[in-house]
């Protein structure tokens, strides 16, 4: 696949200047001014950290030679706090989140843009770490970084670093997965354990005693989804259960597809430390955010090969069939509880924790 390597991080033509102010360890307002200091920040930190060192065009837009007309397009902004957390950081999250939204439409990530909003005073070393992590995750997901922008806010008007990424993907031919395509009789699969990202963030933010044992699952899913689509190209729905967790994602599917969904609580994979943290924090793992999981809804005949393909990938080791799509209870998600009862799963009302992604 042809990859473009053009970057338009800075959009006014000024001559390249290689003098690096070595004494500067923090971001200054002038780094966002669009002049020489911005160019120095790009040349000396942003572009090298993102792994972009050759063929950089400082033009107004990257020109892409997309190899087909089946494109997927998505954008997301990342404001997670803290910037670095067990298992990941804002850079890995910013690449993975957008790659995963493309992957859920059966689209191979093609390119990403990276928009940086930086608070004056952020340490250069922190920015560099986050960007290197972003570039590594983009590489794992198969996406080239082709465009970007940098802005600097005055001190105390931001919180270190916010990142927006926009992605274009090439949809796999024959794949028509979409949120409205679930059919009665379909199997509902999850690629791994619930709630790891949200609980890891909450635990480290609250400085809870068990925080070191919990890691976010943040990861780019395309390599795993690509293998899934090799064996089950006809999957009906794929959805990454991020904010609002599996509960919100399944409620979206039930409503959009006009079907019911029945879950078996005992089949839901939940790590013991996540279960106990949720107990302590008064949360239900089904409502907690994930950043490296996929819900897959497919015809019953595809369920076994799909499960095998997920489990064959390291990110899908704990994949499980967790329920099925029904004709009854249209628009509703019902959980058969471990105790033998039933309860309705509602979409979470609001944000159980802001700044989680
Ligand atoms: Mg999504």
């Amino acid at each position: 696949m042809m990859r473009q390597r053009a970057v338009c991080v800075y959009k006014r033509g000024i001559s390249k200047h290689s003098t690096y102010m070595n004494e500067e360890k923090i971001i200054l307002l002038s780094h966002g001014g669009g002049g020489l200091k911005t160019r120095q920040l790009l040349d000396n930190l942003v572009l090298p950290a993102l792994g972009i060192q050759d063929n950089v065009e400082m033009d107004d837009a990257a020109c892409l030679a997309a190899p087909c007309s089946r494109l997927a397009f998505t954008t997301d902004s990342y404001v997670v706090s803290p910037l670095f957390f067990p298992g990941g950081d804002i850079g890995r999250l910013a690449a993975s989140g957008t790659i995963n939204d493309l992957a859920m439409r059966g689209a191979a990530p093609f390119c990403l843009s990276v928009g940086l909003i930086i608070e004056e005073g952020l340490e250069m070393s922190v920015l560099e770490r986050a960007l290197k992590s972003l570039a590594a995750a983009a590489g794992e997901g198969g996406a080239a970084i082709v465009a970007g922008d940098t802005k600097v806010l005055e001190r105390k008007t931001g919180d270190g670093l916010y990142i927006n990424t926009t992605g274009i993907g090439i949809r796999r031919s024959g794949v028509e997965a979409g949120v409205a395509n679930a059919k009665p009789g379909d199997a509902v699969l999850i690629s791994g354990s619930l709630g790891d990202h949200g609980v890891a963030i909450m635990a480290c933010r609250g400085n809870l005693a068990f925080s070191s044992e919990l890691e976010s699952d943040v990861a780019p899913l395309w390599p795993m989804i690509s293998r899934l689509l090799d064996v089950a190209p006809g999957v009906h729905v794929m959805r990454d259960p991020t904010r609002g967790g599996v509960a919100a994602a399944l409620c979206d599917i039930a409503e959009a597809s006009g079907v019911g969904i029945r879950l078996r609580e005992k089949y839901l994979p939940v790590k013991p430390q996540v279960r106990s943290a949720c107990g302590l924090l008064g949360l239900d793992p089904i409502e907690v955010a994930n950043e490296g999981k996929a819900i897959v809804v497919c015809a019953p005949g595809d369920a076994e090969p799909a499960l095998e393909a997920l489990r064959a990938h390291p990110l899908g080791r704990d994949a499980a069939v967790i329920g099925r799509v029904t004709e009854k209870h249209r628009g509703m998600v019902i959980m058969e509880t471990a105790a033998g009862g039933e309860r309705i799963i509602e979409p979470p009302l609001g944000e159980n924790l802001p700044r989680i992604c």
Side-chain angles (χ1 to χ4, degrees):
M1 183 186 300
M2 180 165 173
R3 297 281 177 188
Q4 296 289 313
R5 300 278 293 165
V7 168
C8 59
V9 178
Y10 177 59
K11 294 173 179 168
R12 270 177 38 219
I14 60 163
S15 62
K16 189 164 174 165
H17 194 290
S18 59
T19 310
Y20 181 39
M21 304 296 179
N22 281 319
E23 67 274 17
E24 283 165 6
K25 300 280 186 226
I26 61 169
I27 295 288
L28 307 173
L29 263 184
S30 54
H31 285 120
L36 193 59
K37 298 285 283 180
T38 303
R39 187 59 195 256
Q40 286 171 353
L41 177 67
L42 299 181
D43 286 343
N44 297 309
L45 192 156
V46 175
L47 297 179
L50 289 173
I52 300 164
Q53 300 191 38
D54 55 335
N55 192 23
V56 176
E57 291 170 17
M58 288 293 170
D59 216 326
D60 281 323
C63 293
L64 308 172
C68 84
S69 57
R70 281 173 50 89
L71 300 178
F73 181 58
T74 189
T75 192
D76 213 332
S77 299
Y78 300 88
V79 299
V80 68
S81 173
L83 297 176
F84 298 86
F85 47 83
D89 56 75
I90 190 170
R92 185 170 177 78
L93 185 62
S96 301
T98 295
I99 284 171
N100 293 347
D101 280 343
L102 295 173
M104 295 305 103
R105 299 308 307 274
F110 179 59
C111 62
L112 291 180
S113 72
V114 177
L116 302 173
I117 298 174
I118 313 170
E119 185 188 8
E120 178 188 12
L122 182 74
E123 286 175 32
M124 296 273 194
S125 59
V126 168
L127 178 61
E128 186 172 26
R129 245 176 95 198
L131 294 181
K132 284 185 169 171
S133 177
L134 190 159
E140 283 171 50
I145 297 165
V146 300
D149 180 47
T150 303
K151 294 289 189 307
V152 179
L153 305 176
E154 301 96 321
R155 266 174 213 274
K156 296 188 176 156
T157 61
D159 188 12
L161 175 64
Y162 308 134
I163 302 179
N164 171 276
T165 56
T166 295
I168 297 175
I170 313 290
R171 284 196 94 189
R172 178 84 68 93
S173 95
V175 175
E176 299 298 340
V179 70
N181 296 344
K183 312 263 186 302
D186 281 355
V188 180
L189 286 66
I190 181 92
S191 66
S193 55
L194 275 56
D196 298 2
H197 175 74
V199 169
I201 296 279
M202 285 180 239
C204 81
R205 225 189 266 174
N207 211 4
L208 302 182
F210 50 78
S211 58
S212 59
E213 299 159 30
L214 293 169
E215 288 207 334
S216 165
D217 56 347
V218 57
L221 293 174
W222 175 248
M224 178 182 77
I225 295 299
S226 173
R227 285 166 69 163
L228 165 75
L229 296 175
D230 288 344
V231 302
V235 293
H236 294 160
V237 185
M238 293 188 286
R239 192 87 164 164
D240 57 335
T242 52
R243 279 177 300 178
V246 167
L250 290 179
C251 289
D252 284 350
I253 295 169
E255 188 186 334
S257 296
V259 295
I261 294 178
R262 280 188 87 82
L263 292 181
R264 299 283 287 275
E265 187 173 26
K266 67 177 180 183
Y267 296 154
L268 296 177
V270 181
K271 288 177 180 160
Q273 60 268 47
V274 169
R275 192 178 296 286
S276 53
C278 281
L280 204 64
L281 297 164
L283 298 168
D284 187 337
I286 203 169
E287 293 187 2
V288 179
N290 311 270
E291 290 291 346
K293 298 289 156 40
I295 290 170
V296 177
V297 178
C298 62
D302 275 343
E304 202 50 46
L307 191 62
E308 269 176 36
L310 291 172
R311 285 181 174 167
H313 192 276
L315 295 176
R317 270 193 311 261
D318 300 324
V321 177
I322 58 171
R324 65 194 160 81
V325 178
T326 62
E327 189 108 42
K328 273 168 64 179
H329 311 299
R330 285 180 185 270
M332 289 170 74
V333 179
I334 309 274
M335 182 148 82
E336 298 171 19
T337 66
E342 281 186 3
R343 72 179 171 100
I344 297 170
I345 302 293
E346 306 268 14
L349 203 53
E351 191 84 86
N352 51 24
L353 189 72
R355 309 268 312 271
I356 205 157
C357 60

